[in-house]
Amino acid sequence: MTSPFRRVVTGHDAAGRAVVTIDEQITPAPIPSGDAAFALIWTSPTLPVDNNDDTDGRTRPAGLTLHGGSVVRIVDMLPGGVSPMHRSNSLDYGVILSGTVELELDDGAVTELGPGDVAVQRGTIHAWRNPSADEPARILFVLTEALPRLVDGAPLPEVHAG
């Protein structure tokens, strides 16, 4: 159900000129829960990023987020797919590329997003749902580490399920 996309990465040659270092097709791979497929595009181990590090950021181990760094990935939410409710100590930018998704918050509020819409997640508990019975939804996510939200002086805990 997922389709490939093209990843183009630039870098520098020995003389400092800009060059394309990677040009490849990537197909998102199903995750264990079966409701989505992920494809890691790039990671950076630190912010600010060191552009002298020529490591292919796609080969760096990363969870949903990367402590001290950033993660960029494509998520294909399969028809009817629902993520578990979760919160990470990160600032997440989600750009809906195709299809429709619903963003549900822990109070039950649901916001529908479509192609071109952007969600900015600021460490909140949330879930994603693809309400379509037959169309996948493709989302580009950029995640950077963030300090946890404080409530009455105490940090809200991360919530990872599934």
Side-chain angles (χ1 to χ4, degrees):
M1 284 233 163
T2 64
S3 60
F5 64 91
R6 186 175 179 195
R7 179 178 82 124
V8 175
V9 179
T10 63
H12 297 88
D13 67 12
R17 290 182 299 265
V19 296
V20 171
T21 59
I22 299 170
D23 187 343
E24 66 180 352
Q25 293 286 317
I26 298 173
T27 301
I31 61 172
S33 64
D35 61 348
F38 285 12
L40 190 62
I41 298 171
W42 194 263
T43 62
S44 62
T46 61
L47 292 173
V49 173
D50 181 359
N51 279 334
N52 294 295
D53 179 357
D54 290 327
T55 303
D56 179 353
R58 187 167 190 263
T59 64
R60 190 174 288 114
L64 287 178
T65 60
L66 185 60
H67 179 70
S70 66
V71 174
V72 181
R73 75 172 41 91
I74 289 286
V75 173
D76 286 341
M77 287 289 301
L78 302 180
V82 180
S83 77
M85 281 285 186
H86 60 284
R87 172 181 29 231
S88 57
N89 292 330
S90 59
L91 173 63
D92 308 346
Y93 308 103
V95 181
I96 314 316
L97 300 176
S98 64
T100 300
V101 294
E102 295 174 342
L103 170 62
E104 181 178 356
L105 303 181
D106 60 347
D107 68 354
V110 175
T111 302
E112 185 174 286
L113 298 121
D117 292 343
V118 179
V120 179
Q121 281 292 110
R122 300 179 57 231
T124 59
I125 292 182
H126 65 285
W128 294 100
R129 179 182 306 107
N130 179 347
S132 174
D134 56 6
E135 181 183 353
R138 179 165 277 181
I139 312 162
L140 169 74
F141 282 104
V142 179
L143 301 92
T144 60
E145 183 181 28
L147 297 174
R149 176 67 183 212
L150 301 177
V151 175
D152 296 328
L156 292 176
E158 289 194 313
V159 175
H160 300 284

